[in-house]
Amino acid sequence: MEPGERDARGTTDALSSVEALWRSVVDVLDAVEGPSSALLCTASGFPLKSYGYEHTELVPAARVARSSFARRRNSTASSVPVVDVVTVELVAGPTQTVMTAIPSAQGEHLLAITADDVSMPVLRAWTAHVASQMRRVLAQA
């Protein structure tokens, strides 16, 4: 087998794993009774995966997530270190948002998950779990 073939297979396997992981995120958010959304984007604000957004909202949402995360990342009051991942939490009325930076060989990614009427500790733990799995998958790519 040629080196390029291994690289292509590894990338294909990683993409399949990202798809499966994202499907699990969508399945959980589908079960939430209130409004919810999720966004996976690059650190530069390019949307990669989304749930709960209209197509026309993706780029603006990714850019807002990127800038909100960057602003709050530097504030120790709203930034929570979870292992080697930085997590930012936002609360606006019943809406809870957790944003997590996911380091990878391709650069940093940002995962933002928002849900109404969900416990912040539960949302934080679940987002950290998804980010940890995503980090392992992206490391394979």
Side-chain angles (χ1 to χ4, degrees), residues 99-116:
M99 293 186 287
T100 303
I102 304 170
S104 75
Q106 299 78 24
E108 191 171 73
H109 291 76
L110 180 63
L111 174 66
I113 299 179
T114 301
D116 280 9

Side-chain angles (χ1 to χ4, degrees), residues 15 18-19 22 38-41 46-51 53 58:
L15 290 175
V18 167
E19 287 295 328
W22 193 256
L39 180 65
L40 176 65
C41 62
F46 183 80
L48 300 170
K49 294 282 184 190
S50 68
Y51 169 83
Y53 290 93
L58 290 178

Side-chain angles (χ1 to χ4, degrees), residues 21 85 100 102 111 127-137:
L21 182 55
V85 183
T100 303
I102 304 170
L111 174 66
T127 303
H129 174 72
V130 171
S132 174
Q133 290 181 322
M134 190 70 70
R135 186 179 64 221
R136 278 180 274 190
V137 167

